[in-house]
C-alpha cells in the first residue's frame, strides 16, 4: 500500500480520470496533485 503523502503516490481515483482523458485523445489531464502529475498522461498545474 502506498500512502497518499508519498512522493510517488497517485490516488486510485486519479488513474481512471487520466486513462479516460488519454483514451479520448486529450493531450493531458491537468492537476494540482503532485502525485497524480507523475502518472503518464497527467501534467502538474502550478503557479508561475
Amino acid at each position: 500500500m502506498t500512502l497518499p503523502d508519498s512522493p510517488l503516490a497517485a490516488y486510485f481515483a486519479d488513474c481512471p480520470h487520466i486513462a479516460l482523458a488519454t483514451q479520448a485523445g486529450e493531450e493531458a489531464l491537468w492537476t494540482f496533485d503532485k502525485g497524480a502529475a507523475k502518472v503518464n498522461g497527467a501534467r502538474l498545474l502550478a503557479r508561475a
Side-chain angles (χ1 to χ4, degrees), residues 4-17:
D5 57 274
S6 168
L8 300 176
Y11 288 108
F12 176 78
D14 295 321
C15 295
H17 292 116

Side-chain angles (χ1 to χ4, degrees), residues 4 9 38 46:
K38 293 181 181 183

Side-chain angles (χ1 to χ4, degrees), residues 5-39:
D5 57 274
S6 168
L8 300 176
Y11 288 108
F12 176 78
D14 295 321
C15 295
H17 292 116
I18 295 167
L20 287 170
T22 301
Q23 185 179 24
E26 299 298 324
E27 289 190 20
L29 178 87
W30 291 93
T31 181
F32 291 106
D33 186 327
K34 291 179 183 178
K38 293 181 181 183
V39 176

